[in-house]
Amino acid sequence: HRLTLRTRSAIKMKMMLSISNRSKRCRPARVLSLLACCRSVRGLHVAVITGNSRTSGPPRPILGPRVTSYIQGELAQRGHEVSVIDPLQWKLPLLEKPHFCYAKGRAPPELEEIYGILDDADAYVCITPEYNHAPSPALLNVLNHFGSSTFSFKPSAIVSYSAGQWGGTRAALALRPV
């Protein structure tokens, strides 16, 4: 079993308490019992932000929904709760005013709902196609609606894809600083 970040922190804290307590020594059986309790710890809440905005065109069938479905399934299989933010479903307008420019609770309902998902998330996965050597404009539009503090200090991953020979590598590299 892979351990989540919270689980690892809990184990380290318990082991440090065991070691620092001079009356009790940290025995291997104690460490194994600490590891056994980790199976009851919940998985992470992962926000999957997709960048696919195409509904037709080459390649057929469209790769985005298949990649998203695969990533979502793999995360769920590992015990994580997954929330998908898809630009085709949310229909955010082009960025005119980001979420952080509104007074608290005064942003449009779509932005508030997406912000709630992102704020509650323990980790993020951005899935982007490669369009002209760059990430998807739809994905960048979603990300740019929220300030960097929304994403700070949380683990993230980038999944990129392309029907071309580079497999989305250039889009992933361009997305890293964002």
Side-chain angles (χ1 to χ4, degrees):
H1 290 281
R2 292 187 179 177
L3 302 176
T4 65
L5 295 175
R6 289 182 182 176
T7 305
R8 289 181 190 156
S9 298
I11 291 171
K12 286 180 183 177
M13 290 299 292
K14 288 180 182 179
M15 288 175 61
M16 286 172 36
L17 290 173
S18 296
I19 291 170
S20 66
N21 188 350
R22 292 181 186 200
S23 63
K24 295 181 181 177
R25 295 174 65 189
C26 186
R27 297 183 184 98
R30 173 86 174 127
V31 173
L32 290 176
S33 70
L34 291 173
L35 289 172
C37 77
C38 295
R39 291 191 181 125
S40 65
V41 175
R42 72 168 180 87
L44 297 174
H45 176 215
V46 181
V48 175
I49 308 165
T50 67
N52 182 45
S53 59
R54 290 188 179 173
T55 56
S56 65
R60 287 189 179 96
I62 301 295
L63 293 175
R66 295 187 316 177
V67 173
T68 302
S69 176
Y70 175 78
I71 296 298
Q72 188 176 3
E74 287 294 315
L75 289 169
Q77 182 180 356
R78 288 170 170 75
H80 302 298
E81 179 187 342
V82 180
S83 297
V84 178
I85 299 171
D86 187 348
L88 287 176
Q89 293 177 346
W90 290 97
K91 305 283 188 202
L92 288 177
L94 289 177
L95 180 64
E96 290 180 13
K97 188 174 182 182
H99 179 267
F100 57 85
C101 287
Y102 290 96
K104 189 171 183 112
R106 301 278 184 163
E110 301 87 20
L111 284 181
E112 287 293 339
E113 195 169 345
I114 294 173
Y115 177 76
I117 293 169
L118 294 174
D119 192 44
D120 291 341
D122 299 315
Y124 306 97
V125 177
C126 291
I127 302 175
T128 184
E130 182 175 307
Y131 294 154
N132 299 323
H133 306 242
S136 162
L139 175 64
L140 293 175
N141 189 46
V142 171
L143 295 176
N144 288 333
H145 270 89
F146 304 97
S148 62
S149 61
T150 307
F151 305 100
S152 295
F153 305 108
K154 296 180 182 181
S156 63
I158 296 172
V159 177
S160 61
Y161 60 92
S162 172
Q165 64 181 354
W166 297 102
T169 303
R170 297 169 293 197
L173 288 173
L175 187 59
R176 288 185 70 190
V178 175

